[in-house]
Amino acid sequence: MDNDNRIIVTVLGQDKIGIIAGVTTVLAETKANILDISQTVLQEFLTMILVVDLAECELEFEEIRQRLINVGEQIGVQITAQHESVFKYMHRI
Amino acid sequence: MTITIHPNEIIETIKMIETENLDIRTITLGISLRDCTGQNSSEIAEKIYEKIVNKAGRLVAVGDEIQQEFGVPIINKRISVTPISLIGGLNRPEDYIEIAKSLDKAAKEVGVDFLGGFSALVHKGVTKEETALIEAIPQALAETDRVCASVNVASTKAGINMDAVAQMGIIIKKAAELSKDADSIACAKLVVFCNVPEDNPFMAGAFHGIGEPETVINIGVSGPGVVRNAVKNYPNEDFGTLAEVVKKTAFKITRMGELVGRAASEKLSVPFGIVDLSLAPTPAAGDSVAEILEAFGLERCGTHGTTAALALLNDAVKKGGSMASSYVGGLSGAFIPVSEDAGMIRAVEDGALNIEKLEAMTCVCSVGLDMIAVPGNTSASTLSAIIADEMAIGMINNKTTAVRIIPAWGKGAGDSVYFGGLLGSAPIMKLNKYGSDSFVARGGRIPAPIQALTN
């Protein structure tokens, strides 16, 4: 599996203040590097996708995932974090 | 650095997992037990226990790890072993019961939900070991929780062993009686096969075939809910479009299986065997093969047109899936277990689906008469005759068919049986009231069919 360090973080939920701040703070604390962010807001429903590089990261993926889920719960949005290979495998030959 | 995946594709994948029940149904670790020989049954039982615990000790932990990394639920971790009847040195049914208990203990120790391979391959005839194992099946299944048994009684190349078919009717009755306090659940762990595959990861029919390596990882994917939702977006398009939609969806589902299989293989240092391209339903709402057929435009699964719809579905799943995986095997097709599929259960309760239509459906999809509850007073010869019909379909059409039938002790048509979990619940189906005693009593073998002049 190529590039094992990249993960995709998705944020789904009602748009509100502080979502990006909350998510990026967690990533910065863990020394995860954000490669790209895209977001769309459709009728107050936010979809945000971050491509994140964990190469410099000191923590295990599972610990980062858990922190992201926790911050999602505090803000009131759903956050998922998965290895990029999941999406590459499903959508590219 | 570029994002190679479009945000819509990311959202599609997440939607499949979150709302459409996309999951990996099973990671099944095959383990050869052929080196587990010994002087007596206790020694063999101990060697088997130790080998399984040794080889599969990390299976559940690795499954959970992959689930977290990829964010895809992995529902079951399972084990398949060499058909126990091939292990030498065991001659009495009580020896085999001891082995079954050892298998059960090993399954519980490593934390898998089922272990398959309490099996015999008798399509041409039986050895004394196989006779003893088959006799042990009812008690072995009634006294263990996680052991699954299977018996292959027919093949296209050998024909149908009708002596074995007759005996399996009696064995199934006995298993039903011994587990009568739990709705005859022992029968849900017993499959009778024609043309059994050696690398099937799905229970209850999994075993580790003789052509397999020391250990191997096989993957069973699921995802009827994903296919149904995809089909629902095209309510009026023609069949060519419909097949295309199913193919594309099957491709995506199978890719997940391929990814998980490779990861599991790498983490466990076990060779990757196959992905089984099956649509496996669960009793959960929306996770139903019957509901896909209904989304095709049938008012209820089981009505006229169902066989054609299932043929299209089954073929499209194979076409899409085989493109997605390097190695495809196992049963590979759509499953139609009655008790494990909410749409099937409703179709039976509404009178839309009967056993005759189910039999016709098994001609065009995988497995066969699966998880069907019938009245408890059904005679052994009628059960054997049902098995014989299904075996004939497999033999003539050169495909795998199977029967997993539950004569629910003390219950009649219109009642229901409840197993819970993935095994679900099933309304008891009505059977033909006329007997087949003299037919089954003939014994011997139905000869292998001619494979040219195919009409």
Side-chain angles (χ1 to χ4, degrees), chain B residues 242-252 315-317 319-321:
Chain B
L242 199 57
E244 207 54 32
V245 170
V246 175
K247 265 157 61 180
K248 283 183 181 153
T249 313
F251 174 86
K252 291 173 185 170
D315 184 61
V317 165
K319 283 173 177 161

Side-chain angles (χ1 to χ4, degrees), chain B residues 274-291:
Chain B
I274 55 98
V275 175
D276 189 317
L277 303 179
S278 292
L279 282 181
T282 67
D287 207 16
S288 157
V289 170
E291 286 173 16

Side-chain angles (χ1 to χ4, degrees), chain B residues 309-320:
Chain B
L310 185 58
L312 182 151
L313 173 66
N314 198 50
D315 184 61
V317 165
K318 284 183 204 168
K319 283 173 177 161

Side-chain angles (χ1 to χ4, degrees), chain B residues 371-451:
Chain B
M371 290 302 285
I372 294 179
V374 297
N377 62 4
T378 306
S379 70
S381 64
T382 295
L383 293 173
S384 295
I386 292 169
I387 294 169
D389 281 344
E390 198 57 38
M391 298 300 106
I393 290 170
M395 175 182 77
I396 296 291
N397 295 306
N398 211 352
K399 70 190 284 297
T400 303
T401 50
V403 174
R404 183 161 51 146
I405 193 164
I406 300 117
W409 196 264
K411 294 196 173 179
D415 294 339
S416 280
V417 288
Y418 301 93
F419 301 123
L422 278 180
L423 296 173
S425 65
I428 292 170
M429 298 179 91
K430 211 171 115 219
L431 297 176
N432 197 309
K433 64 181 179 183
Y434 297 100
S436 325
D437 299 15
S438 308
F439 177 75
V440 172
R442 282 177 185 271
R445 277 191 284 142
I446 293 180
I450 199 157
Q451 286 289 290

Side-chain angles (χ1 to χ4, degrees), chain B residues 316-327:
Chain B
V317 165
K318 284 183 204 168
K319 283 173 177 161
S322 54
M323 179 85 179
S325 171
S326 341
Y327 301 101

